[in-house]
Amino acid sequence: MRLASALTSSVLAGMLVLSGTAAVAAPEDIPAVEAAELTSASSLLALINPSTKLSPEDYTPKDLVTVSGTSFQLRKQAADAVQDLVADARAAGHSIKVLSAFRSYQRQATLFNQYQAQYGTDYAERISARPGTSEHQLGLAADLGYTNSRAELKEAFGQTPAGQWIAEHAVDYGLIVRYPVGKEEITGYKYEPWHVRYIGKEQAKAMQDSGAETYEEYFGMLQEASRDTAASPAAKPSAEPSNEPRSEPSTPAGPAADKDNQKVEGSGVLREDDLMVLRFLPPYRDWSFGFTK
């Protein structure tokens, strides 16, 4: 979601008013984060949404493991969290199972093309990610459901005892319900009570305490916290960059300054100025039109 340099602050403010989405101030107790944690595709805090594409688009995490009792894979920490949640949910009387986890770029492309052919592009984009923009490709997200339930992958799952248990307890495992009800204009997706995303126990609890209802809002708080950390005289040097591939932001459509189109050393999912814009604009798929290639 990289905006052309001609987009002025007055236009940005106008979009903010029209969108009806207010910027959320970061509470003082947001965990300190390094800038690299917000820009690396391999970070547990990486933000992916319809307007944020991975680079390389076929990025694959290096630490994928099989989720116990399934044929699905997740990154190790996410796999452990999902396994524990499923086990505890079953102990509480909810027959939850994993329906989907890591998806490769190729698999996501196949799924999106199927939805596009069946429902048309507009609706397909509301229910499925284009390849290269899916959280499942990060290896940090899983879809959960009942065994033999008619509510699988449907909004009605959120009203089932299992769906309600997940909504209440996901944070205890470092997971969040990524696409909450009524927040499509911010997340870019319809309500998905079955889709959980791992961000770690500390961050999940901090997000809950912050009052942020979407990860986009909380990510803006993390960005603010990272700026405060960088500005502090006692700020520590950035950690060594990950050996994992990093994603690069899309470049502006049309003519642009050469330096705006150059790759930034150490950049990941978003550049710093992209993160600033993110705090003010809901990530509609339409925002990318005219701004990205």
Side-chain angles (χ1 to χ4, degrees), residues 184-204:
E184 183 177 349
E185 67 172 11
I186 297 178
T187 65
Y189 294 108
K190 292 182 64 178
Y191 173 44
E192 293 189 0
W194 61 85
H195 180 109
V196 295
R197 154 71 192 272
Y198 183 77
I199 60 174
K201 290 183 180 180
E202 181 185 26
Q203 294 290 358

Side-chain angles (χ1 to χ4, degrees), residues 169-190:
H169 296 283
V171 65
D172 299 332
Y173 304 88
L175 298 161
I176 60 173
V177 176
R178 181 66 176 86
Y179 307 118
V181 64
K183 298 298 178 180
E184 183 177 349
E185 67 172 11
I186 297 178
T187 65
Y189 294 108
K190 292 182 64 178

